[in-house]
Each structure stands twice: as structure tokens, then as C-alpha cells.
Amino acid sequence: MGRLNTEQISRFESQEDIDAVRSSQESDIQLIDDWLLSFSTDRFQKVAMIVADALMKSDEQRLLTNIPDIFFGMRVEALVENRLLQGEGDLCDMRLGEVRLAE
């Protein structure tokens, strides 16, 4: 993965979180995206709920447990940018943004 822009870096709580994301592989990112999409539906849901579901899946499978929740939220933003999800509200704030599967 490696590439994070300055704005994204500023959203992390620690250097350890940044390092965990930077050391992730493309296959890790794809797995996170797959989890996020699997918990998305055709109705709008809070980003926080979808991220929480994906984090629970991560814990259950004991995979990517070092990746912080904020990165999962950033992946939701990327899925909206790539038109796999539709978003509304402030997607940078998981409690305010909502997403659904793209039509």
C-alpha cells in the first residue's frame, strides 16, 4: 500500500497506525474492501456501522487486526470514489457519513 497523502496521515492517532497501514499489501486492502462491501446494503447505513462489522470480521478471522479503524473508514471513502458505494454526508466522520451499494 505505502502511499498516504498528508491529509490522510493527519487523521491517524499514532505513528504505529501509519506504519501498520504502510506495511499492508494490496491483497490486504482488497480483503478490507471485500468485507466493507459485504456489509453494505441497498439502503443507506452509517459508515461507523459498516466499519464496525468489518472490524469484527477482522477479529474473528484474526487477520489485519493491527490496521486501525480510521483506515477502514478511508477505504469506504475510496469505494465511494470508485463508485462501488454511494455516499452522503461527511464520509470523513464515520458517525455522520452514510453509504449504500451503488445502483
Side-chain angles (χ1 to χ4, degrees), residues 16-74:
E16 184 178 304
D17 288 347
I18 295 167
D19 293 343
V21 170
R22 283 186 169 156
S23 67
S24 61
Q25 304 296 313
E26 284 300 318
S27 59
D28 299 332
I29 307 311
Q30 186 60 54
L31 183 57
I32 292 170
D33 289 356
D34 290 346
W35 287 336
L36 293 166
L37 288 168
S38 75
F39 292 113
S40 300
T41 67
D42 59 351
R43 71 181 208 297
F44 280 103
Q45 301 175 83
K46 294 288 184 189
V47 172
M49 178 60 77
I50 294 168
V51 166
D53 288 341
L55 287 168
M56 284 191 295
K57 188 73 161 181
S58 171
D59 286 343
E60 287 171 8
Q61 294 188 5
R62 293 185 173 94
L63 296 170
L64 309 177
T65 57
N66 64 324
I67 304 294
D69 63 340
I70 190 67
F71 185 68
F72 280 67
M74 289 178 185

Side-chain angles (χ1 to χ4, degrees), residues 84-98:
L84 296 169
L85 294 174
Q86 288 181 306
E88 65 179 27
D90 183 358
L91 297 180
C92 292
D93 186 329
M94 288 188 266
R95 297 166 295 142
L96 300 177
E98 296 186 343

